[in-house]
Amino acid sequence: MFETLYLTPVTGALTVFLVVVCGHLYRQNWKTQPPNARFRSWLFGVPAALGLLALAFVPLKF
């Protein structure tokens, strides 16, 4: 079932970029504490966490 599930170098690079950007925005939100900080933390934290999980557990195929 999961034999065809893999990351290409391009999708892997885009995932790394997404994780870095979302992590930076999460940290910025943490430091400034705007009025809707909890919602924004979820908005930036979930994609960062999913991206890290994908990078950790989905194989990269060249």
Side-chain angles (χ1 to χ4, degrees), residues 7 15 49-59:
L7 293 174
T15 306
L50 291 176
L52 285 172
L53 285 172
L55 289 171
F57 294 112
V58 178

Side-chain angles (χ1 to χ4, degrees), residues 6-23 46-60:
Y6 58 87
L7 293 174
T8 64
V10 173
T11 57
L14 289 174
T15 306
V16 168
F17 179 75
L18 174 81
V19 166
V20 169
V21 169
C22 286
V46 169
L50 291 176
L52 285 172
L53 285 172
L55 289 171
F57 294 112
V58 178
L60 181 66

